[in-house]
Amino acid sequence: QAQLVESGGGLVQVGGSRRLSCTTSGINFNSNTMAWYRQTPGRQRELVASITPGGNTAYADSVKGRFTISRDNAKNMVSLEMNSLQPEDTAVYYCNAKINLRPWGQGTQVTVSS
């Protein structure tokens, strides 16, 4: 059974950085494009960044140049390095496959405080 576990969230000041990690199991990781998503109350979950098995990346315009997604195919892990954080980055962050979504994990809360 697929399992996704996000970690690394917390409270950070405006302009600060945070690194999120996601450990996965049961999803044939090396064959999937993986992605980070985020959601705030009352809004749809949005795609933030994705990375193919070969390492090609794509980003939402709102985070381009500030966030970096990476993956470790040996450890079945995907990470998101977030820099120059802004209050609008406050959200619960989730990882999942970009296609063939698996059951969502609990996510990890990132709160950017001014």
Side-chain angles (χ1 to χ4, degrees):
Q1 185 173 352
Q3 188 171 19
L4 305 163
V5 180
E6 301 90 351
S7 63
L11 179 64
V12 61
Q13 290 188 332
V14 169
S17 299
R18 204 78 183 179
R19 183 176 179 87
L20 306 182
S21 296
C22 173
T23 58
T24 75
S25 60
I27 67 166
N28 196 12
F29 184 85
N30 291 347
S31 297
N32 278 276
T33 293
M34 296 300 296
W36 282 95
Y37 302 79
R38 65 186 181 188
Q39 188 171 28
T40 55
R43 300 186 65 178
Q44 283 191 326
R45 199 168 285 163
E46 66 168 331
L47 177 64
V48 173
S50 64
I51 184 167
T52 68
N56 292 321
T57 59
Y59 299 92
D61 287 344
S62 59
V63 307
K64 200 171 294 183
R66 300 189 298 122
F67 289 13
T68 302
I69 188 172
S70 60
R71 64 190 293 157
D72 186 332
N73 289 336
K75 296 182 178 179
N76 293 352
M77 290 182 60
V78 60
S79 299
L80 186 69
E81 182 74 32
M82 306 184 295
N83 297 314
S84 302
L85 284 163
Q86 300 298 315
E88 53 266 33
D89 296 316
T90 295
V92 179
Y93 286 74
Y94 302 86
C95 71
N96 210 319
K98 186 178 179 184
I99 304 172
N100 297 326
L101 291 171
R102 304 310 197 274
W104 295 95
Q106 291 185 318
T108 187
Q109 174 73 48
V110 174
T111 302
V112 184
S113 171
S114 56

